[in-house]
Amino acid sequence: RRDVLTKASKAPRAKKVSAKLFTDESEEPDAPTLALFEKLRALRRDLAEEQSVPPYVIFHDKTLAAMAHFRPATSDELLRLSGVGASKLEKYGERFLQEIRTAELD
């Protein structure tokens, strides 16, 4: 029924957070954030090559920027970022979380 579908589509959803891609000169990211962003881009490139898909199919730069900025430590935190859904979390989540953890140790 249409009324059921309409009500379901208006249900409140959890808010996703995103980070600006690093273009705003007023808030230049620090060196560790930029370094992590580049490491995440390299991981994305490797995964894309393995799967023969363009890198943006894995995650967009904006999503990688949010990962570098917010540094999620858990799957739940990663899922809150814009561009990360259940499917991508399942496929790639642990690899990206591991990269973030590794960067924290550096």
Side-chain angles (χ1 to χ4, degrees):
R1 296 183 354 206
R2 288 180 194 250
D3 61 323
V4 173
L5 291 175
T6 304
K7 288 179 184 176
S9 66
K10 293 181 181 177
R13 294 182 180 179
K15 288 191 176 187
K16 297 257 184 175
V17 293
S18 64
K20 297 177 202 171
L21 197 52
F22 306 123
T23 57
D24 185 6
E25 295 173 12
S26 65
E27 292 186 30
E28 195 68 27
D30 59 10
T33 300
L34 285 175
L36 176 56
F37 177 69
E38 291 304 324
K39 287 181 181 182
L40 295 173
R41 287 185 73 203
L43 173 59
R44 177 187 64 178
R45 184 188 60 244
D46 293 344
L47 291 171
E49 287 175 3
E50 288 173 14
Q51 299 175 23
S52 301
V53 297
Y56 67 83
V57 171
I58 309 291
F59 288 118
H60 289 277
D61 277 351
K62 194 171 189 178
T63 303
L64 298 181
M67 289 181 196
H69 177 76
F70 293 110
R71 298 176 188 251
T74 66
S75 295
D76 287 337
E77 291 175 359
L78 187 60
L79 193 57
R80 296 174 92 186
L81 299 180
S82 180
V84 181
S87 176
K88 288 188 179 185
L89 177 67
E90 184 178 324
K91 287 181 188 176
Y92 312 117
E94 191 52 43
R95 300 265 314 260
F96 281 86
L97 287 172
Q98 184 60 41
E99 192 68 42
I100 294 166
R101 285 184 205 114
T102 301
E104 293 291 320
L105 300 176
D106 293 343

